[in-house]
């Protein structure tokens, strides 16, 4: 995800969210972007909608 944002010249960083809840589990993390880039990042990282199934129903 960070590489997608970097390719679009949106600075991003991975932020550690704390201690793992169980031994052997990875720690939770979040991807942080600047406030002015928030909506662009959400758009780029959102799933692509598939309209082909809807079009075949009609």
């Amino acid at each position: 995800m960070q590489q997608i944002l970097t390719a679009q010249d949106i600075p991003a960083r991975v932020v550690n969210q704390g201690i793992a809840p169980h031994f052997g589990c990875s720690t939770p993390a979040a991807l942080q972007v600047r406030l002015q880039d928030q909506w662009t990042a959400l758009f780029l990282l959102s799933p692509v909608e598939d309209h082909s199934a809807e079009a075949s129903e009609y």
Side-chain angles (χ1 to χ4, degrees):
M1 288 187 219
Q2 185 178 15
Q3 290 176 349
I4 293 171
L5 295 174
T6 303
Q8 298 296 321
D9 294 326
I10 298 174
R13 66 179 177 176
V14 177
V15 181
N16 187 358
Q17 293 291 307
I19 301 172
H22 302 288
F23 179 73
C25 294
S26 60
T27 58
L31 191 61
Q32 186 178 40
V33 296
R34 298 181 305 183
L35 187 59
Q36 62 263 31
D37 295 326
Q38 180 180 0
W39 288 109
T40 305
L42 287 172
F43 176 73
L44 288 170
L45 300 176
S46 64
V48 177
E49 293 182 13
D50 183 16
H51 294 290
S52 61
E54 293 175 7
S56 65
E57 292 177 5
Y58 296 106

